[in-house]
Amino acid sequence: MPTARLRIAYDGSRFAGWADQPGQRTVQAELESGLERILGERIDLTVAGRTDAGVHATGQVASFEYGRELPDRPAERLNAVLPRDLAVLEAAPAADGFDARRSAKARVYRYRVLTSTVRDPLEERRALWWRYPVDRDLLDAAAAAVVGNHDFTAFTPTQTEHVLFERTVDACAWEAERDGVLALRIEALSFMRNQVRVLVGTMLEVGGGRRSLEELTALLNGAPRDAAGETAPPHGLYLTEVKY
Amino acid sequence: MPTARLRIAYDGSRFAGWADQPGQRTVQAELESGLERILGERIDLTVAGRTDAGVHATGQVASFEYGRELPDRPAERLNAVLPRDLAVLEAAPAADGFDARRSAKARVYRYRVLTSTVRDPLEERRALWWRYPVDRDLLDAAAAAVVGNHDFTAFTPTQTEHVLFERTVDACAWEAERDGVLALRIEALSFMRNQVRVLVGTMLEVGGGRRSLEELTALLNGAPRDAAGETAPPHGLYLTEVKY
């Protein structure tokens, strides 16, 4: 069957995450209903990253098979029926067998942290407000320690769908996005549930001197979940890119 | 009476503007009620820029006289009782006679325009989405024409509280804030109601080739209101700084 690919952006604040859940407003449900309106058939989406409630996306990718024809300018038509906190950046036919989840070669996430002493109303639900001192060198060292192949058992909920806890992080680095906002860029073939958010929570503890770099390194060898730091809140997290 | 000065930021989306209006949620009312809670007396605020509904601020300034004492760490105490879309960045005693409105030497506004072909859910209510082509050179020339002393009658509502329509714009320039977002920075001792928004609407018409630079120049000599362009929407506008 012919396959299409969507590149998607959303403000996650008012969504109960990506995945369909009865009675909840989800990105998947809004998109599938928009697609049904413009295609005249029921569509099942496959997604690259199943983001949780509150998590944003600037470069999410989804794919679907369809039986009829794709109309002209499908992205424009879709955006005309989608709510304002969700937009399709690109919609185009894809190679047969393209699968947004399985064909992905890497996912890139960004986690934004507001480090000013006062909160910023315009960053509400857009960044974690972290009012404690952080040492940028320690943060950078923590990020460097995360790069590579590790057992991330400590960084995902104990009750989980995962069987294998080993992952390879290809890139992990903090940058100053602007005065008062630090952002982590992290890239891997795949991530486990909450993995980026627990990594961020733990790195901030290292940056604040509340946990040593050695402790973080030890955690990356398969320590139990409750040994790692707090799960940073969803509203600082953005899925920015999926590579194929 | 002792006087204090506040530097304030807010997301204007859910406010009916700065100024008190019965039955409406305003920045002034939220702040005055927060001040009354921490000071134990009724406060009347004077503000540098009376922003309209939907307009944001990252550097608004207000002042007030008080009869009792300012508590320790007043900004922190205020922020603890203020709603999440409003924050006090600084609160400190000011020189006797300081008046946020009359003592101001310049106001700086920023107007953000999203120029991408697709809307951006994360810029919803944060920038004007302008999907038509704009020529950056024409925009720059339009901004340069605005600098200086002009009769801005065409750029404020005909039914208005103003008596004098002459103003001097000290700086007016577009910059690329990031890929797909242009921002105007404009500075003057004072602005008339809607002035920045009508200027932006008219400059975008010049940038799109729908109005000539000569027409803009002619408008700056006191043409009637209906000769100028559309009023750009409030949600792209930010009061960023007040100079004293």
Side-chain angles (χ1 to χ4, degrees):
Chain A
M1 270 172 95
T3 303
R5 166 178 171 166
L6 305 176
R7 199 159 60 84
I8 305 152
Y10 44 89
D11 175 342
S13 310
R14 298 190 304 115
F15 287 108
W18 170 272
D20 254 347
Q21 297 171 64
Q24 302 275 320
R25 182 173 187 262
T26 66
V27 182
Q28 182 178 13
E30 291 284 2
L31 269 173
E32 288 179 348
S33 118
L35 283 164
E36 187 169 354
R37 278 183 68 178
I38 70 153
L39 296 176
E41 63 178 313
R42 176 87 195 118
I43 292 297
D44 287 312
L45 284 171
T46 300
V47 77
R50 289 165 60 96
T51 52
D52 285 326
V55 176
H56 314 293
T58 59
Q60 174 73 282
V61 177
S63 59
F64 61 91
E65 297 187 324
Y66 56 100
R68 307 191 189 178
E69 274 199 24
L70 221 51
D72 278 349
R73 299 187 298 180
E76 213 168 299
R77 278 164 190 268
L78 264 170
N79 287 329
V81 302
L82 290 177
R84 307 283 293 178
D85 53 355
L86 170 60
V88 169
L89 308 176
E90 277 178 83
D96 270 14
F98 175 81
D99 181 295
R101 187 165 76 84
R102 271 169 244 218
S103 308
K105 294 221 160 48
R107 277 108 177 148
V108 183
Y109 281 90
R110 189 172 183 83
Y111 197 98
R112 303 179 65 244
V113 180
L114 176 73
T115 57
S116 55
T117 51
V118 184
R119 62 185 168 72
D120 180 345
L122 288 157
E123 291 291 356
E124 190 66 25
R125 297 189 184 190
R126 304 289 175 99
L128 163 64
W129 176 37
W130 189 256
R131 70 205 88 171
Y132 315 104
V134 275
D135 180 306
R136 179 63 195 275
D137 290 338
L138 283 173
L139 264 193
D140 289 346
V146 169
V147 176
N149 184 270
H150 302 288
D151 179 338
F152 286 97
T153 306
F155 299 91
T156 193
T158 41
Q159 306 294 332
T160 170
E161 64 266 39
H162 304 290
V163 180
L164 299 170
F165 297 90
E166 216 172 281
R167 293 289 187 281
T168 300
V169 171
D170 297 310
C172 182
W174 292 92
E175 61 180 48
E177 184 182 294
R178 63 170 173 85
D179 203 29
V181 176
L182 283 176
L184 180 80
R185 183 189 179 281
I186 186 166
E187 174 173 345
L189 167 59
S190 69
F191 291 94
M192 285 181 293
R193 183 127 209 215
N194 287 9
Q195 185 181 343
V196 178
R197 292 164 54 195
V198 184
L199 279 169
V200 166
T202 311
M203 280 190 263
L204 288 171
E205 291 182 8
V206 173
R210 291 197 281 139
R211 193 186 284 265
S212 72
L213 205 55
E214 290 67 37
E215 275 177 271
L216 171 62
T217 312
L219 287 173
L220 292 163
N221 289 317
R225 170 65 193 98
D226 56 7
E230 302 248 337
T231 308
H235 60 260
L237 187 60
Y238 298 70
L239 174 54
T240 58
E241 190 186 358
V242 186
K243 296 182 177 178
Y244 291 94
Chain B
M1 270 173 95
T3 303
R5 167 179 171 165
L6 305 176
R7 200 158 60 84
I8 304 152
Y10 43 89
D11 176 342
S13 310
R14 299 191 302 116
F15 287 108
W18 170 271
D20 254 347
Q21 296 171 65
Q24 302 276 320
R25 182 174 186 262
T26 66
V27 182
Q28 182 178 11
E30 291 283 2
L31 269 173
E32 288 180 348
S33 117
L35 284 164
E36 187 169 354
R37 277 183 69 177
I38 70 153
L39 296 176
E41 62 178 316
R42 177 87 196 118
I43 293 296
D44 286 314
L45 284 171
T46 300
V47 77
R50 287 164 62 97
T51 53
D52 284 326
V55 175
H56 313 293
T58 58
Q60 173 72 282
V61 177
S63 59
F64 61 92
E65 297 186 324
Y66 55 100
R68 306 192 190 179
E69 273 201 23
L70 221 51
D72 277 349
R73 299 185 299 179
E76 213 168 299
R77 278 164 191 268
L78 265 170
N79 287 328
V81 302
L82 291 177
R84 307 285 290 179
D85 51 356
L86 170 59
V88 169
L89 308 175
E90 277 179 83
D96 269 13
F98 174 81
D99 179 297
R101 187 166 77 84
R102 270 169 243 220
S103 309
K105 295 221 161 47
R107 278 104 175 147
V108 184
Y109 281 90
R110 189 173 183 83
Y111 196 97
R112 304 179 65 244
V113 180
L114 178 71
T115 57
S116 56
T117 52
V118 184
R119 63 184 167 72
D120 180 344
L122 288 157
E123 291 290 357
E124 189 67 24
R125 297 188 184 191
R126 303 290 175 99
L128 161 65
W129 176 38
W130 189 256
R131 69 205 90 170
Y132 315 104
V134 276
D135 181 305
R136 179 62 195 276
D137 290 339
L138 284 174
L139 264 193
D140 289 346
V146 170
V147 177
N149 184 268
H150 303 287
D151 179 338
F152 287 98
T153 306
F155 299 91
T156 193
T158 41
Q159 306 294 332
T160 168
E161 64 265 38
H162 304 291
V163 180
L164 298 169
F165 297 90
E166 216 172 280
R167 292 289 186 282
T168 300
V169 171
D170 298 310
C172 181
W174 292 92
E175 60 179 51
E177 184 181 294
R178 63 170 173 84
D179 204 28
V181 176
L182 284 177
L184 179 80
R185 184 190 178 282
I186 186 167
E187 175 173 344
L189 166 59
S190 70
F191 291 95
M192 284 181 294
R193 184 127 209 216
N194 287 10
Q195 185 181 344
V196 178
R197 292 164 53 195
V198 184
L199 279 169
V200 166
T202 310
M203 280 190 260
L204 288 170
E205 290 182 10
V206 173
R210 291 196 281 140
R211 192 187 284 263
S212 72
L213 205 55
E214 289 66 36
E215 275 178 88
L216 172 63
T217 313
L219 287 174
L220 292 163
N221 290 316
R225 170 65 193 98
D226 55 7
E230 303 247 336
T231 308
H235 59 260
L237 187 60
Y238 297 70
L239 173 55
T240 59
E241 190 185 357
V242 185
K243 297 182 177 179
Y244 292 94

